Every structure is written in C-alpha cells, then in structure tokens.
Amino acid sequence: GIEYIDSYVFNKVEDIRFNSTVGRYVGYTEHGVKNAEAWNSDAGILGQEQATLERFCKTNAAIDYSNILDKT
C-alpha cells in the first residue's frame, strides 16, 4: 500500500501532519492541535487530501513501479 503524509512545518518544527493511513490530521504543537481539530471536522479538507493520494501518489507510484519492472 501507499502512505501519503502531508506535513506543515513552521520555524523548523512540524506543526501538523495529515497521514493517509490514519485518515486524519494530527497536531504536534498547540497551534497544530487546534488546526487538526478544525480540519478533521471539515469533510472537504479531508477529501482534498484523499484526492491527492488517489490522483497524484497512486498514479505516479504505478508509473514508477512499471518503469522499475521494465529495467529489471
């Protein structure tokens, strides 16, 4: 399977992260926790992250995997 992680970093500190395996945002700072709560309650925002996983990650992974197989 593919795991998609979208991290938001501020001043070199990870603030919040979306993890496709978990399916939601996790906050690591006070600000990140507040955003995670808000973003996790917004189906549109969660849907955008899932769409990125489907549209970008899975499509490119299939192409990359095919290219690797062609060279072995």
Side-chain angles (χ1 to χ4, degrees):
I2 295 174
E3 181 175 59
Y4 166 62
I5 295 174
D6 188 7
S7 293
Y8 295 79
V9 177
F10 181 72
N11 284 341
K12 299 182 182 180
V13 175
E14 186 174 26
D15 195 41
I16 188 170
R17 174 191 295 181
F18 175 83
N19 182 320
S20 66
T21 302
V22 178
R24 64 186 187 91
Y25 290 93
V26 176
Y28 296 101
T29 64
E30 183 179 351
H31 182 257
V33 168
K34 288 180 182 179
N35 278 336
E37 290 174 2
W39 296 355
N40 286 330
S41 66
D42 188 323
I45 293 174
L46 290 175
Q48 288 175 353
E49 293 286 17
Q50 291 295 341
T52 300
L53 170 67
E54 295 295 326
R55 182 185 72 249
F56 181 78
C57 299
K58 290 186 176 181
T59 299
N60 286 322
I63 292 167
D64 292 342
Y65 186 68
S66 176
N67 287 336
I68 290 167
L69 289 180
D70 289 346
K71 292 178 181 173
T72 57

